[in-house]
Amino acid sequence: LKVFTRPRNLNILIRDGNLLSERITPPLIILHMLSYALFFYLYIQSKISMPGIFKGEIFYFAAILGAYVSFFTFRFLLVRLLGWIFASGEYAQTYLTNSVIFDEVWGIVLIPICLIIYYAPSPASGLMLQGGAVLFLILQLYKLIRNFMVGLANTNFSWLYLFLYLCTVEIL
């Protein structure tokens, strides 16, 4: 949580060890993937009706979860590949660590939001859903700014190219 709120602590965390290889990371990543998929499932379910190709809610949720896991894996591998191509593996590792921390924290925050959305009466549920979506967008903007600041430490590339790179990876 300190790394999430204070950028200076990211360097301390990276210096102390690799967060991506810690024992707590896999359960938190699974939690974040499940909570992201549940939030998007609830959001999509509130906006449109279920497609007819899925016979039950669990299949619809599984499709969203599978799409997000594929996206997360693709983004992770893309950043690793680009770090290797541009010989900036250390900066790619810092970027990934920062992104994983944001995803893990947001996954924990989404649990009570999803519970309230699912169990609350309809007007409160819709309000919480909109609030969660706005909070998600604010967090993504903050994450983009923090990742841009991580990239500023690399002086080998122009700021414009760094900004375009980060925007492309985040949009993908």
Side-chain angles (χ1 to χ4, degrees), residues 113-125:
I113 292 173
C114 289
L115 288 174
I116 292 170
I117 291 169
Y118 191 77
Y119 289 111
S122 187
S125 174

Side-chain angles (χ1 to χ4, degrees), residues 71-136:
F71 163 74
F72 185 81
T73 305
F74 174 73
R75 187 182 74 168
F76 186 83
L77 293 175
L78 180 68
V79 169
R80 287 281 182 145
L81 177 68
L82 290 174
W84 178 73
I85 288 172
F86 293 113
S88 58
E90 179 183 332
Y91 297 107
Q93 182 71 20
T94 304
Y95 172 82
L96 287 173
T97 303
N98 195 39
S99 293
V100 165
I101 288 169
F102 273 81
D103 290 339
E104 289 173 351
V105 169
W106 182 238
I108 293 170
V109 170
L110 270 180
I111 293 172
I113 292 173
C114 289
L115 288 174
I116 292 170
I117 291 169
Y118 191 77
Y119 289 111
S122 187
S125 174
L127 184 63
M128 193 62 165
L129 194 61
Q130 296 302 323
V134 168
L135 191 60
F136 174 75

Side-chain angles (χ1 to χ4, degrees), residues 33-91:
M33 288 183 181
L34 289 172
S35 60
Y36 264 49
L38 181 60
F39 180 74
F40 288 121
Y41 167 77
L42 293 171
Y43 190 81
I44 291 170
Q45 184 183 29
S46 73
K47 298 298 180 191
I48 60 173
S49 62
M50 299 281 234
I53 60 173
F54 298 104
K55 300 294 184 209
E57 292 181 353
I58 191 71
F59 296 114
Y60 194 52
F61 173 75
I64 293 172
L65 180 62
Y68 183 70
V69 168
S70 299
F71 163 74
F72 185 81
T73 305
F74 174 73
R75 187 182 74 168
F76 186 83
L77 293 175
L78 180 68
V79 169
R80 287 281 182 145
L81 177 68
L82 290 174
W84 178 73
I85 288 172
F86 293 113
S88 58
E90 179 183 332
Y91 297 107

